[in-house]
Amino acid sequence: MYDSGKTLFRQLAHCLHGSSAPFLGQASARMERAIHPFMRGINLVPRALRQQFIAWGPLPASVPPSKLIDFDADVLASEFVAQLPAREYPAIILGSANGAGVHLAAALGVPWLPQTAMVPVRTRGADRDDPGPAMAMLAEPLEQFTRHNPDVLAVHQHDPCHDRLPIQHVAYVRFKWLTLPAPYRRYIDQALAPGGGIIVFDCAHRRPMTQIGERHWFQFGGLDSATIDEYFHGGRRVEMFLKRHNPDPDRQRWEPPEPDGDQPEAEWGFHPALNGAIRQLATEKQARVAILRYSHPQDPSAFVAELYRWWYTSRGRESNRLLVDQFLLADPWLTLRTGSAPYWTLFGTRPARDRLLRYLRNAGPWPDIRLTLFSHGIDAIGDASGQEWAAAFDYARRGGSFVGVNPRYYPADLRTPAGFHHDLKRLVDNQPLPAPLTLAELDEFGAEWPGKEIHYEA
């Protein structure tokens, strides 16, 4: 449930088929109608029980460590491309998982193929605040996994802050393809129009990691919550966090394994080894390559929001609403059907909120702003409250409101995965969809983009 690459991909696939994506793309419209009455009352249960729902959420999709030995990454690549419509496209997007990138793909009407995917692995009873044993638990299975999959790099990510609830039951193992998997290659051969374009989302963010094997790393911590220094050396915020969430009074900081260097961030970073295969493919297909480079996953969000405003205006469609989505909560089809310009936020943290407010100050007011928040269950280090996020509504001329999330229950609002989609449907208008954005228009906009946080190279 919490795999950004798989979930964002699934939601875009729905969009390319001309449909919305209920319940993070995992439910049909019929199932959504059955789920929603139940979801309306789910927040009435005690918060501790709601946290258990979040903690156990990834378990049904998880695999035991023994299954890593013969796990075939190409099978997952085949499952990805099987979800896409079999038709010709003017471009294909490849690379880093990114919500703004999925919205760009929707505007162009083209697929996006992620470099990174996740395998949740069952590790029931793991100590969330003792990363050494957690790392050792999967060392041998992941070494066998990488031997069986010679074209991937695996990262075991252990974040006791934002992933605190689920990592007691599952470990987050993410792998990156270092070359194009055969199913991707076959799909691109069939789907990319002659002379088409390949757009690479290249997130340069890196994190300190501990090397376990030749292509196997351990990443302690995540992005945009505690700082790297806090994860590795502690501090007042870590001490207070552990005091709230760990009954051991002697636990005042984490003691992760010593890092050996840095690597592309597990969930969002782009591994440059894939560039060689992309360039070779482009030469064979006589395709052009455009690269969108950035340092932080949220950096492309302002670019895509303003691109949508520019695109809508060029098609004679009013651009009156900014839709602020977050993490896995994105529905590209309903974004288009509601005439919204999307601004994607990484998590519910203060740094993510501050980036949004900085964009709103620079971009000027929107008539209407709608905003959602992803619930991970606890008050984590660096998180902003619903009230703090509501500061974005001050930049709306007519006002703003939350979509699918109730600040009273955040960050443990269990209705949100269904409620985001349900509430967004109410904003659908009867305007026809604009003609897709063209590569030439993207080049034109990219060449004039004044922001320094991204570099668009056509």
Short mmCIF file of all heavy atoms in Angstrom, two decimals, residues 402-458:
data_model
loop_
_atom_site.label_atom_id
_atom_site.label_comp_id
_atom_site.label_asym_id
_atom_site.label_seq_id
_atom_site.Cartn_x
_atom_site.Cartn_y
_atom_site.Cartn_z
N PHE A 402 -9.72 21.56 2.79
CA PHE A 402 -9.09 20.25 2.71
C PHE A 402 -9.94 19.31 1.85
O PHE A 402 -11.16 19.43 1.79
CB PHE A 402 -8.91 19.65 4.10
CG PHE A 402 -7.86 20.33 4.93
CD1 PHE A 402 -8.21 21.25 5.91
CD2 PHE A 402 -6.51 20.06 4.71
CE1 PHE A 402 -7.24 21.88 6.68
CE2 PHE A 402 -5.53 20.69 5.46
CZ PHE A 402 -5.90 21.59 6.46
N VAL A 403 -9.27 18.36 1.22
CA VAL A 403 -9.93 17.35 0.40
C VAL A 403 -9.60 15.98 0.98
O VAL A 403 -8.43 15.58 1.03
CB VAL A 403 -9.47 17.42 -1.07
CG1 VAL A 403 -10.12 16.31 -1.89
CG2 VAL A 403 -9.78 18.78 -1.67
N GLY A 404 -10.62 15.27 1.46
CA GLY A 404 -10.43 13.90 1.89
C GLY A 404 -9.75 13.73 3.23
O GLY A 404 -9.52 12.59 3.65
N VAL A 405 -9.40 14.80 3.90
CA VAL A 405 -8.73 14.68 5.20
C VAL A 405 -9.39 15.64 6.19
O VAL A 405 -9.74 16.77 5.84
CB VAL A 405 -7.21 14.98 5.09
CG1 VAL A 405 -6.95 16.40 4.61
CG2 VAL A 405 -6.51 14.72 6.41
N ASN A 406 -9.58 15.17 7.40
CA ASN A 406 -10.13 15.98 8.47
C ASN A 406 -8.99 16.28 9.44
O ASN A 406 -8.44 15.37 10.07
CB ASN A 406 -11.24 15.22 9.19
CG ASN A 406 -11.96 16.05 10.24
OD1 ASN A 406 -11.39 16.99 10.78
ND2 ASN A 406 -13.19 15.70 10.52
N PRO A 407 -8.60 17.56 9.58
CA PRO A 407 -7.48 17.89 10.48
C PRO A 407 -7.67 17.38 11.90
O PRO A 407 -6.69 17.17 12.62
CB PRO A 407 -7.43 19.42 10.43
CG PRO A 407 -8.10 19.79 9.15
CD PRO A 407 -9.15 18.75 8.92
N ARG A 408 -8.92 17.15 12.28
CA ARG A 408 -9.19 16.65 13.64
C ARG A 408 -8.58 15.27 13.84
O ARG A 408 -8.15 14.94 14.95
CB ARG A 408 -10.70 16.61 13.86
CG ARG A 408 -11.13 16.02 15.18
CD ARG A 408 -12.64 15.96 15.26
NE ARG A 408 -13.12 15.24 16.45
CZ ARG A 408 -14.39 14.93 16.68
NH1 ARG A 408 -15.31 15.28 15.80
NH2 ARG A 408 -14.72 14.30 17.77
N TYR A 409 -8.55 14.46 12.78
CA TYR A 409 -8.06 13.09 12.89
C TYR A 409 -6.65 12.92 12.34
O TYR A 409 -6.02 11.89 12.56
CB TYR A 409 -9.00 12.13 12.17
CG TYR A 409 -10.41 12.14 12.71
CD1 TYR A 409 -11.46 12.63 11.94
CD2 TYR A 409 -10.68 11.68 13.98
CE1 TYR A 409 -12.75 12.65 12.42
CE2 TYR A 409 -11.98 11.70 14.48
CZ TYR A 409 -13.02 12.18 13.70
OH TYR A 409 -14.29 12.21 14.19
N TYR A 410 -6.15 13.89 11.63
CA TYR A 410 -4.81 13.82 11.07
C TYR A 410 -3.77 13.86 12.19
O TYR A 410 -3.96 14.62 13.15
CB TYR A 410 -4.60 14.99 10.10
CG TYR A 410 -3.22 15.07 9.52
CD1 TYR A 410 -2.83 14.22 8.49
CD2 TYR A 410 -2.28 15.98 10.01
CE1 TYR A 410 -1.55 14.28 7.97
CE2 TYR A 410 -1.00 16.04 9.49
CZ TYR A 410 -0.65 15.20 8.48
OH TYR A 410 0.63 15.25 7.96
N PRO A 411 -2.71 13.05 12.17
CA PRO A 411 -2.21 12.22 11.07
C PRO A 411 -2.64 10.76 11.12
O PRO A 411 -1.90 9.88 10.66
CB PRO A 411 -0.70 12.33 11.26
CG PRO A 411 -0.53 12.36 12.75
CD PRO A 411 -1.72 13.11 13.28
N ALA A 412 -3.84 10.47 11.66
CA ALA A 412 -4.33 9.10 11.68
C ALA A 412 -5.75 9.06 11.11
O ALA A 412 -6.64 8.44 11.67
CB ALA A 412 -4.29 8.53 13.10
N ASP A 413 -5.94 9.75 9.98
CA ASP A 413 -7.24 9.80 9.31
C ASP A 413 -7.33 8.63 8.34
O ASP A 413 -6.75 8.67 7.25
CB ASP A 413 -7.40 11.14 8.58
CG ASP A 413 -8.80 11.34 8.04
OD1 ASP A 413 -9.51 10.33 7.85
OD2 ASP A 413 -9.17 12.49 7.78
N LEU A 414 -8.06 7.59 8.72
CA LEU A 414 -8.14 6.40 7.88
C LEU A 414 -9.08 6.56 6.70
O LEU A 414 -9.06 5.75 5.78
CB LEU A 414 -8.61 5.20 8.73
CG LEU A 414 -7.64 4.70 9.80
CD1 LEU A 414 -8.17 3.44 10.44
CD2 LEU A 414 -6.26 4.44 9.22
N ARG A 415 -9.89 7.60 6.71
CA ARG A 415 -10.80 7.82 5.58
C ARG A 415 -10.08 8.36 4.36
O ARG A 415 -10.54 8.20 3.22
CB ARG A 415 -11.91 8.81 5.98
CG ARG A 415 -12.89 9.13 4.84
CD ARG A 415 -13.94 10.15 5.24
NE ARG A 415 -14.76 10.53 4.10
CZ ARG A 415 -14.51 11.56 3.28
NH1 ARG A 415 -13.41 12.32 3.51
NH2 ARG A 415 -15.29 11.84 2.27
N THR A 416 -8.92 8.95 4.54
CA THR A 416 -8.29 9.71 3.47
C THR A 416 -8.07 8.93 2.17
O THR A 416 -8.35 9.46 1.09
CB THR A 416 -6.97 10.33 3.95
OG1 THR A 416 -7.25 11.19 5.06
CG2 THR A 416 -6.32 11.16 2.86
N PRO A 417 -7.54 7.69 2.18
CA PRO A 417 -7.33 7.00 0.89
C PRO A 417 -8.58 6.90 0.03
O PRO A 417 -8.50 6.96 -1.20
CB PRO A 417 -6.82 5.62 1.32
CG PRO A 417 -6.17 5.85 2.64
CD PRO A 417 -7.02 6.89 3.31
N ALA A 418 -9.74 6.71 0.66
CA ALA A 418 -10.99 6.69 -0.09
C ALA A 418 -11.59 8.09 -0.19
O ALA A 418 -12.17 8.46 -1.23
CB ALA A 418 -11.99 5.74 0.58
N GLY A 419 -11.45 8.88 0.87
CA GLY A 419 -12.08 10.19 0.92
C GLY A 419 -11.50 11.18 -0.07
O GLY A 419 -12.22 12.03 -0.62
N PHE A 420 -10.19 11.11 -0.33
CA PHE A 420 -9.56 12.01 -1.29
C PHE A 420 -10.23 11.87 -2.65
O PHE A 420 -10.63 12.85 -3.28
CB PHE A 420 -8.07 11.70 -1.39
CG PHE A 420 -7.36 12.41 -2.51
CD1 PHE A 420 -7.16 13.78 -2.47
CD2 PHE A 420 -6.89 11.70 -3.60
CE1 PHE A 420 -6.50 14.43 -3.50
CE2 PHE A 420 -6.23 12.34 -4.64
CZ PHE A 420 -6.03 13.71 -4.59
N HIS A 421 -10.38 10.65 -3.11
CA HIS A 421 -11.00 10.40 -4.41
C HIS A 421 -12.47 10.79 -4.39
O HIS A 421 -12.96 11.45 -5.32
CB HIS A 421 -10.84 8.91 -4.75
CG HIS A 421 -11.49 8.51 -6.02
ND1 HIS A 421 -12.77 8.01 -6.08
CD2 HIS A 421 -11.05 8.54 -7.29
CE1 HIS A 421 -13.09 7.75 -7.33
NE2 HIS A 421 -12.06 8.05 -8.08
N HIS A 422 -13.19 10.43 -3.34
CA HIS A 422 -14.62 10.72 -3.24
C HIS A 422 -14.88 12.22 -3.23
O HIS A 422 -15.76 12.72 -3.95
CB HIS A 422 -15.18 10.08 -1.97
CG HIS A 422 -16.66 10.23 -1.82
ND1 HIS A 422 -17.24 11.30 -1.17
CD2 HIS A 422 -17.69 9.45 -2.25
CE1 HIS A 422 -18.54 11.18 -1.18
NE2 HIS A 422 -18.85 10.07 -1.83
N ASP A 423 -14.13 12.97 -2.45
CA ASP A 423 -14.34 14.41 -2.36
C ASP A 423 -13.93 15.11 -3.65
O ASP A 423 -14.55 16.11 -4.06
CB ASP A 423 -13.55 14.99 -1.18
CG ASP A 423 -14.09 14.52 0.16
OD1 ASP A 423 -15.09 13.78 0.18
OD2 ASP A 423 -13.48 14.87 1.20
N LEU A 424 -12.88 14.61 -4.28
CA LEU A 424 -12.42 15.24 -5.52
C LEU A 424 -13.44 15.08 -6.64
O LEU A 424 -13.61 15.98 -7.47
CB LEU A 424 -11.07 14.63 -5.93
CG LEU A 424 -10.20 15.40 -6.92
CD1 LEU A 424 -9.95 16.82 -6.44
CD2 LEU A 424 -8.89 14.67 -7.13
N LYS A 425 -14.14 13.96 -6.66
CA LYS A 425 -15.15 13.74 -7.70
C LYS A 425 -16.24 14.80 -7.67
O LYS A 425 -16.83 15.11 -8.70
CB LYS A 425 -15.79 12.36 -7.54
CG LYS A 425 -14.97 11.21 -8.07
CD LYS A 425 -15.82 9.99 -8.34
CE LYS A 425 -16.64 9.59 -7.14
NZ LYS A 425 -17.40 8.34 -7.40
N ARG A 426 -16.50 15.35 -6.50
CA ARG A 426 -17.55 16.37 -6.39
C ARG A 426 -17.19 17.67 -7.09
O ARG A 426 -18.05 18.52 -7.32
CB ARG A 426 -17.82 16.65 -4.91
CG ARG A 426 -18.36 15.45 -4.14
CD ARG A 426 -18.60 15.81 -2.69
NE ARG A 426 -19.20 14.71 -1.95
CZ ARG A 426 -19.54 14.77 -0.67
NH1 ARG A 426 -19.31 15.89 0.02
NH2 ARG A 426 -20.08 13.73 -0.07
N LEU A 427 -15.91 17.84 -7.41
CA LEU A 427 -15.46 19.08 -8.06
C LEU A 427 -15.40 18.96 -9.58
O LEU A 427 -15.06 19.92 -10.26
CB LEU A 427 -14.07 19.45 -7.54
CG LEU A 427 -13.93 19.65 -6.02
CD1 LEU A 427 -12.48 19.92 -5.66
CD2 LEU A 427 -14.83 20.78 -5.54
N VAL A 428 -15.74 17.79 -10.12
CA VAL A 428 -15.67 17.59 -11.57
C VAL A 428 -16.62 18.55 -12.27
O VAL A 428 -17.78 18.69 -11.87
CB VAL A 428 -16.02 16.12 -11.92
CG1 VAL A 428 -16.18 15.96 -13.43
CG2 VAL A 428 -14.93 15.19 -11.41
N ASP A 429 -16.10 19.23 -13.30
CA ASP A 429 -16.95 20.13 -14.09
C ASP A 429 -17.26 19.48 -15.44
O ASP A 429 -16.82 18.37 -15.73
CB ASP A 429 -16.30 21.50 -14.27
CG ASP A 429 -14.93 21.42 -14.94
OD1 ASP A 429 -14.74 20.55 -15.81
OD2 ASP A 429 -14.05 22.23 -14.59
N ASN A 430 -18.03 20.17 -16.24
CA ASN A 430 -18.44 19.61 -17.53
C ASN A 430 -17.62 20.14 -18.69
O ASN A 430 -17.99 19.96 -19.86
CB ASN A 430 -19.93 19.92 -17.77
CG ASN A 430 -20.83 19.20 -16.78
OD1 ASN A 430 -20.61 18.03 -16.50
ND2 ASN A 430 -21.83 19.90 -16.26
N GLN A 431 -16.50 20.80 -18.39
CA GLN A 431 -15.67 21.30 -19.47
C GLN A 431 -14.96 20.14 -20.17
O GLN A 431 -14.56 19.16 -19.52
CB GLN A 431 -14.61 22.27 -18.92
CG GLN A 431 -15.18 23.56 -18.36
CD GLN A 431 -14.08 24.54 -18.03
OE1 GLN A 431 -13.33 24.97 -18.91
NE2 GLN A 431 -13.95 24.88 -16.76
N PRO A 432 -14.79 20.23 -21.47
CA PRO A 432 -14.03 19.17 -22.17
C PRO A 432 -12.57 19.20 -21.74
O PRO A 432 -12.02 20.24 -21.37
CB PRO A 432 -14.19 19.54 -23.65
CG PRO A 432 -14.48 21.02 -23.65
CD PRO A 432 -15.26 21.28 -22.39
N LEU A 433 -11.94 18.03 -21.80
CA LEU A 433 -10.53 17.97 -21.46
C LEU A 433 -9.71 18.72 -22.49
O LEU A 433 -10.02 18.68 -23.69
CB LEU A 433 -10.06 16.52 -21.40
CG LEU A 433 -10.63 15.65 -20.28
CD1 LEU A 433 -10.07 14.24 -20.38
CD2 LEU A 433 -10.33 16.25 -18.92
N PRO A 434 -8.67 19.42 -22.08
CA PRO A 434 -7.84 20.14 -23.06
C PRO A 434 -7.06 19.15 -23.92
O PRO A 434 -6.76 18.03 -23.50
CB PRO A 434 -6.90 20.96 -22.18
CG PRO A 434 -6.84 20.22 -20.88
CD PRO A 434 -8.19 19.59 -20.70
N ALA A 435 -6.74 19.56 -25.15
CA ALA A 435 -5.88 18.74 -26.00
C ALA A 435 -4.55 18.53 -25.29
O ALA A 435 -4.05 19.44 -24.60
CB ALA A 435 -5.67 19.42 -27.34
N PRO A 436 -3.95 17.35 -25.41
CA PRO A 436 -2.72 17.07 -24.67
C PRO A 436 -1.62 18.09 -24.94
O PRO A 436 -1.51 18.66 -26.02
CB PRO A 436 -2.31 15.68 -25.17
CG PRO A 436 -3.58 15.05 -25.65
CD PRO A 436 -4.39 16.19 -26.21
N LEU A 437 -0.81 18.29 -23.93
CA LEU A 437 0.40 19.09 -24.07
C LEU A 437 1.33 18.41 -25.07
O LEU A 437 1.41 17.18 -25.11
CB LEU A 437 1.07 19.19 -22.71
CG LEU A 437 2.26 20.14 -22.55
CD1 LEU A 437 1.78 21.58 -22.51
CD2 LEU A 437 3.01 19.80 -21.25
N THR A 438 2.01 19.19 -25.88
CA THR A 438 2.96 18.62 -26.84
C THR A 438 4.38 18.76 -26.33
O THR A 438 4.68 19.59 -25.45
CB THR A 438 2.85 19.30 -28.21
OG1 THR A 438 3.31 20.66 -28.09
CG2 THR A 438 1.41 19.30 -28.72
N LEU A 439 5.28 17.95 -26.89
CA LEU A 439 6.68 18.05 -26.51
C LEU A 439 7.24 19.42 -26.86
O LEU A 439 8.07 19.98 -26.14
CB LEU A 439 7.50 16.96 -27.20
CG LEU A 439 7.34 15.54 -26.66
CD1 LEU A 439 8.16 14.57 -27.48
CD2 LEU A 439 7.74 15.47 -25.20
N ALA A 440 6.81 19.97 -27.99
CA ALA A 440 7.29 21.31 -28.38
C ALA A 440 6.86 22.35 -27.35
O ALA A 440 7.64 23.25 -27.01
CB ALA A 440 6.76 21.67 -29.77
N GLU A 441 5.65 22.22 -26.84
CA GLU A 441 5.18 23.17 -25.82
C GLU A 441 5.94 22.98 -24.52
O GLU A 441 6.27 23.96 -23.84
CB GLU A 441 3.67 22.98 -25.60
CG GLU A 441 2.83 23.47 -26.76
CD GLU A 441 1.35 23.13 -26.59
OE1 GLU A 441 1.06 22.00 -26.13
OE2 GLU A 441 0.51 23.99 -26.90
N LEU A 442 6.23 21.73 -24.17
CA LEU A 442 7.02 21.48 -22.97
C LEU A 442 8.41 22.10 -23.11
O LEU A 442 8.93 22.73 -22.18
CB LEU A 442 7.14 19.98 -22.72
CG LEU A 442 8.01 19.55 -21.53
CD1 LEU A 442 7.50 20.12 -20.23
CD2 LEU A 442 8.09 18.02 -21.45
N ASP A 443 9.01 21.95 -24.28
CA ASP A 443 10.32 22.56 -24.52
C ASP A 443 10.24 24.08 -24.39
O ASP A 443 11.13 24.71 -23.80
CB ASP A 443 10.82 22.20 -25.91
CG ASP A 443 11.21 20.73 -26.05
OD1 ASP A 443 11.35 20.07 -25.00
OD2 ASP A 443 11.36 20.26 -27.19
N GLU A 444 9.20 24.65 -24.96
CA GLU A 444 9.04 26.11 -24.91
C GLU A 444 8.91 26.60 -23.48
O GLU A 444 9.58 27.56 -23.07
CB GLU A 444 7.80 26.52 -25.72
CG GLU A 444 7.49 28.01 -25.69
CD GLU A 444 6.17 28.35 -26.37
OE1 GLU A 444 5.61 27.46 -27.05
OE2 GLU A 444 5.70 29.48 -26.20
N PHE A 445 8.08 25.92 -22.70
CA PHE A 445 7.88 26.33 -21.31
C PHE A 445 9.16 26.10 -20.51
O PHE A 445 9.57 26.95 -19.70
CB PHE A 445 6.72 25.55 -20.70
CG PHE A 445 6.37 25.98 -19.30
CD1 PHE A 445 5.52 27.04 -19.08
CD2 PHE A 445 6.91 25.33 -18.20
CE1 PHE A 445 5.20 27.45 -17.79
CE2 PHE A 445 6.60 25.73 -16.92
CZ PHE A 445 5.74 26.79 -16.70
N GLY A 446 9.81 24.94 -20.73
CA GLY A 446 11.03 24.62 -19.99
C GLY A 446 12.15 25.60 -20.26
O GLY A 446 12.93 25.94 -19.36
N ALA A 447 12.25 26.08 -21.50
CA ALA A 447 13.31 27.01 -21.86
C ALA A 447 13.13 28.35 -21.16
O ALA A 447 14.12 29.06 -20.90
CB ALA A 447 13.34 27.21 -23.37
N GLU A 448 11.90 28.71 -20.84
CA GLU A 448 11.62 30.01 -20.22
C GLU A 448 11.44 29.92 -18.71
O GLU A 448 11.22 30.94 -18.05
CB GLU A 448 10.37 30.63 -20.85
CG GLU A 448 10.52 30.91 -22.36
CD GLU A 448 9.25 31.45 -22.98
OE1 GLU A 448 8.23 31.56 -22.26
OE2 GLU A 448 9.27 31.76 -24.18
N TRP A 449 11.51 28.71 -18.15
CA TRP A 449 11.25 28.55 -16.72
C TRP A 449 12.33 29.26 -15.90
O TRP A 449 13.52 28.98 -16.04
CB TRP A 449 11.20 27.07 -16.36
CG TRP A 449 11.02 26.81 -14.90
CD1 TRP A 449 11.93 26.29 -14.03
CD2 TRP A 449 9.85 27.07 -14.13
NE1 TRP A 449 11.40 26.20 -12.77
CE2 TRP A 449 10.13 26.68 -12.79
CE3 TRP A 449 8.59 27.61 -14.42
CZ2 TRP A 449 9.19 26.80 -11.77
CZ3 TRP A 449 7.66 27.74 -13.39
CH2 TRP A 449 7.96 27.34 -12.10
N PRO A 450 11.93 30.17 -15.01
CA PRO A 450 12.94 30.96 -14.27
C PRO A 450 13.44 30.30 -13.00
O PRO A 450 14.40 30.77 -12.39
CB PRO A 450 12.16 32.24 -13.94
CG PRO A 450 10.75 31.79 -13.79
CD PRO A 450 10.56 30.66 -14.79
N GLY A 451 12.79 29.23 -12.55
CA GLY A 451 13.16 28.63 -11.28
C GLY A 451 14.54 28.00 -11.30
O GLY A 451 14.97 27.46 -12.32
N LYS A 452 15.24 28.06 -10.19
CA LYS A 452 16.59 27.50 -10.09
C LYS A 452 16.60 26.10 -9.49
O LYS A 452 17.63 25.43 -9.48
CB LYS A 452 17.47 28.42 -9.22
CG LYS A 452 17.68 29.81 -9.82
CD LYS A 452 18.53 30.67 -8.91
CE LYS A 452 18.73 32.06 -9.51
NZ LYS A 452 19.55 32.92 -8.61
N GLU A 453 15.42 25.63 -9.01
CA GLU A 453 15.40 24.36 -8.32
C GLU A 453 15.41 23.16 -9.28
O GLU A 453 15.68 22.04 -8.87
CB GLU A 453 14.19 24.26 -7.38
CG GLU A 453 12.84 24.19 -8.08
CD GLU A 453 12.29 25.53 -8.48
OE1 GLU A 453 13.00 26.54 -8.35
OE2 GLU A 453 11.13 25.58 -8.93
N ILE A 454 15.09 23.41 -10.54
CA ILE A 454 15.17 22.32 -11.52
C ILE A 454 15.92 22.81 -12.76
O ILE A 454 16.04 24.01 -13.02
CB ILE A 454 13.78 21.80 -11.95
CG1 ILE A 454 13.02 22.85 -12.77
CG2 ILE A 454 12.97 21.35 -10.76
CD1 ILE A 454 11.83 22.29 -13.50
N HIS A 455 16.43 21.85 -13.52
CA HIS A 455 17.08 22.16 -14.79
C HIS A 455 16.46 21.28 -15.86
O HIS A 455 16.53 20.06 -15.78
CB HIS A 455 18.59 21.90 -14.70
CG HIS A 455 19.31 22.10 -15.99
ND1 HIS A 455 19.45 23.34 -16.60
CD2 HIS A 455 19.93 21.23 -16.81
CE1 HIS A 455 20.10 23.20 -17.72
NE2 HIS A 455 20.42 21.93 -17.89
N TYR A 456 15.82 21.90 -16.83
CA TYR A 456 15.20 21.16 -17.93
C TYR A 456 16.12 21.24 -19.15
O TYR A 456 16.38 22.32 -19.67
CB TYR A 456 13.82 21.72 -18.27
CG TYR A 456 13.13 20.98 -19.40
CD1 TYR A 456 12.58 19.72 -19.19
CD2 TYR A 456 13.06 21.53 -20.67
CE1 TYR A 456 11.97 19.04 -20.23
CE2 TYR A 456 12.46 20.84 -21.72
CZ TYR A 456 11.89 19.59 -21.48
OH TYR A 456 11.30 18.90 -22.51
N GLU A 457 16.61 20.09 -19.55
CA GLU A 457 17.56 20.02 -20.66
C GLU A 457 16.94 19.25 -21.81
O GLU A 457 16.73 18.03 -21.72
CB GLU A 457 18.85 19.33 -20.20
CG GLU A 457 19.88 19.11 -21.26
CD GLU A 457 21.04 18.26 -20.75
OE1 GLU A 457 21.54 18.56 -19.65
OE2 GLU A 457 21.43 17.29 -21.44
N ALA A 458 16.57 19.95 -22.86
CA ALA A 458 15.90 19.31 -24.00
C ALA A 458 16.91 18.97 -25.08
O ALA A 458 17.96 19.61 -25.20
CB ALA A 458 14.84 20.24 -24.57
#
